[in-house]
Amino acid sequence: MNPQDPLKSKTDTAPHLSRSAQRALEAAKRKAAIQQKVLLILLGIALVINAIIGFVLYQRMVVKQQQLNLSNLTQEVAAERSKALSRYLQQQTAAIDQLAAEPELSAILDFTNPANTPEARDQLEQKWQQATADALKLRLIPMGSAELDREAEFPIRYAELDLIQRAEKREATLPELVQINNRWMFNWTRPLPATGTELPLGSLMVTTDATELLNILNTSEQALGEFILLQQFAGSPAQLVAKIGSGTAGSSMQNNVAGSYLAVKFTPSEYLLERAEELPALWLTVISVIVAGSLALVWFLSKILVRAELGGDKSTAAPLLADVTKTRKESVDASDAMTDPLFQKQDILDIAVIDEDENILGLQSASGKKSNTGSRTKINEDSIPAEIFRSYDIRGLVDSQITPEFAQLLGQAIGSEAIDQGEQNIVVARDARTHSESLTQALVRGILRTGCNVINIGVVPTPLMYFSTFHFDDTCSGVMVTASHNPKEYNGFKVVMNNRALADDAVTDLRARIIGQRFHQGLGEETPRTIIPDYIDRIFSDVALAGNVSVVIDAGNAVTGIVAPALFEELGCEVIPLFCDLDGEFPNHDPDPTIEKNLQHLIAKVQETNADIGVAFDGDGDRLVVVTPKGDIIWPDRLLMLFAKDILARNPGADVLFDVKCSRQLNQVISSYGGRPIMWKTGHSPMKAKMEETQALIGGEYSGHIFIKDRWYGFDDGIYAMARLLEIITLRDQKVDDIFAAFPQLLITPEIKIPVAEQDKFALIAKLSDSGDFANGTATTIDGLRIDYTKGWGLVRASNTSPALTLRFEAESAEALEKIQQIFKRELLKVDKTLAIPF
């Protein structure tokens, strides 16, 4: 045959073999190729599975065991230090108990004993003080004679008075650490006589040096980690006593020191982590066996799979695995192949695909969303005004700044943020403004579009939304549609995520999320729930009034009108409602109780009805202002004085938080009752964050927000604060005017507001802080600019809720007040001559 014959087969590469032999050879080649491919696939699967098994086993057999080792070592070290301190305290306690059992000490306190004189007690105190190891001061105190003595070398303050009073009741008392002039000491008290059931004759109080206790802590091996000695009283934040060493290698362990309020908190170091290391020998053995077994299994399975693949067609005429793309064997004449249209290449025409065809043609992504994201509508940044995203909420003018379209986008941002923070449900509530319903509907639509569910609790005050995030089991987040105290043309949104009110950057991040359209997509469900009965029941179970009281409630036609009258009637009050019917137009006065003209109806009603007290709530119920029968307005910083006195009596040494607008007298009152005053930024969100940081039990703002953590949740709640105020008042056999007259008051102005453009107010304060000349005053810049002088102070700050500067002044005299105001006026006009300053 001519070698150039075009009819000769191109695949005839072995003409000397028979046809059957050629087929057998080709079958063997195909079998080997298939087996190789199957083997590689199985090896890849085995590799992935072995890696997963190896990682899981490593986490359990090495990492988890190492963490357990470290945890055990940490616990051992903390327990060892706490036991060492406990042994020392046991020795000291035994010595104090032995001292209290001395008959001579009880005898001197017997009122029938002629030798019971102050001089004789002094001599006996000195005698036993010298005989008692580490004793710095020993006191013999006749029953009921203990008094405050803050200026003494070893003072008696409220904390010491509380110890003495408990000893006089024969209550068990533990030693308490106190720091005086940077020196730590123990106070011990015992009743005298030490045993018996009758009332004691008096008490023994011994102040001892705590140096030895601190030395025991200091002998700890500091290379092991950080040792912190804490003192913790019930309901109060932990007090740092001493700290040595450093450690960041693991979780802290805390062990209580028996017989005291002390605890040792230990955090391990890298050195201790090295001692806790777990060798991976067992893991290596186990994983080696698994890998060897998996390789054997892969080889065996590859044989079976190849045999099964080839067994279906002995002639090998059918395609095998990857052979579907193999070139068709040419058995026809080349010239015929060239002309046969079956083998000619064809170009496929471009087809225009419309949107409706994409599902049919499978042109969507695996997630079901269109792969082309370019069709997403771009959001105009100007339509999302930056100025409505304030420090602690979102608030603006309805129609021009706050619209249903904006509310829906905000709902998408809030729902997406909630999902990112692990929430699947979010509470939604609204006030009674005329436009709150439509805004709420749009907000809910936006939240549901993210796949987040909505729990709609309807028209309620803001504190009930806060309460629901603690009360409901399935969510810790919520949104309130309200503009609080602002006039009727405003509306806005307050947001809580995981029981934390969004503030500052967290608020502005919502705007960035809207502009970037970083939204989740899904289909959430809306569920209605009621909360008012649960809220009333919770307060009724917590607050008990000791007497009858009549109260005028001015709800300002706002949303507290549907809750407050019912609650206070349930508590046993005689309720006189004033403007408690809902009207979103606020026909009687704006819902802002911090403006005196808005309180005139309330003052008149209290005096007309001879009520015991009057209260005005703001538009959403998280603020309050009180008026007395005489017509005096009790501004919230004076309310805070009474709350602080009540709570500090049970929790000496606790922190009390207040904002920069509060009276200087508040600081002095808190200190005099044994508390720690802390000044902070104005605003319910930063105040709540600071409350959580400091673990303060009570806090308040001049604007009327009162935050109570004692027996409550720590959020601002004007309704609950009023209930607690009535509880305090009814426990005292005094008129309301007399109760507040006991607290000192200087000359002080209400809030003075100067209109300023929203976009200019913060820059103006910054310029004033940088260039202002306030003579010899002490500046505080945590929020605006507060200048304290010897005889008074002044404040100017940018309002976070309105386009204005807010000012307030306090002084010991009218002359000093006038002088401070003129200094502020002069400096403000330097930075902006157009300001309309009303003083």
Side-chain angles (χ1 to χ4, degrees), residues 269-291:
S269 66
E270 294 293 334
Y271 172 72
L272 194 64
L273 179 61
E274 291 175 3
R275 289 174 51 175
E277 284 186 356
E278 180 74 14
L279 294 177
L282 179 61
W283 173 76
L284 288 172
T285 302
V286 172
I287 201 64
S288 297
V289 172
I290 292 174
V291 169

Side-chain angles (χ1 to χ4, degrees), residues 8-29:
K8 183 176 177 61
S9 174
K10 294 181 181 179
T11 59
D12 188 10
T13 58
H16 58 284
L17 295 177
S18 65
R19 245 172 227 262
S20 60
Q22 289 181 32
R23 285 197 299 268
L25 179 60
E26 290 173 359
K29 289 180 180 180

Side-chain angles (χ1 to χ4, degrees), residues 263 305 446 494:
L305 290 174
K494 293 181 178 179

Side-chain angles (χ1 to χ4, degrees), residues 125-141:
E125 286 174 355
Q126 293 176 13
K127 169 189 170 182
W128 284 102
Q129 181 176 320
Q130 293 171 1
T132 304
D134 296 330
L136 301 174
K137 180 66 176 177
L138 186 145
R139 289 183 174 95
L140 297 169
I141 306 167

Side-chain angles (χ1 to χ4, degrees), residues 114 393 622:
D393 60 17
D622 56 7

Side-chain angles (χ1 to χ4, degrees), residues 403-476:
T403 63
E405 293 75 18
F406 168 78
Q408 180 166 322
L409 289 171
L410 181 64
Q412 290 178 262
I414 292 171
S416 300
E417 181 65 24
I419 291 172
D420 286 347
Q421 294 198 26
E423 291 279 54
Q424 297 301 317
N425 305 290
I426 192 164
V427 174
V428 172
R430 64 182 173 90
D431 67 13
R433 292 170 186 263
T434 56
H435 26 68
S436 290
E437 183 175 4
S438 60
L439 291 174
T440 301
Q441 292 172 353
L443 177 78
V444 168
R445 283 198 302 273
I447 295 173
L448 296 179
R449 289 184 66 175
T450 68
C452 187
N453 301 317
V454 168
I455 301 169
N456 195 329
I457 60 175
V459 179
V460 296
T462 294
L464 276 75
M465 184 275 285
Y466 295 152
F467 171 74
S468 69
T469 65
F470 289 92
H471 182 70
F472 293 150
D473 294 330
D474 50 355
T475 184
C476 298

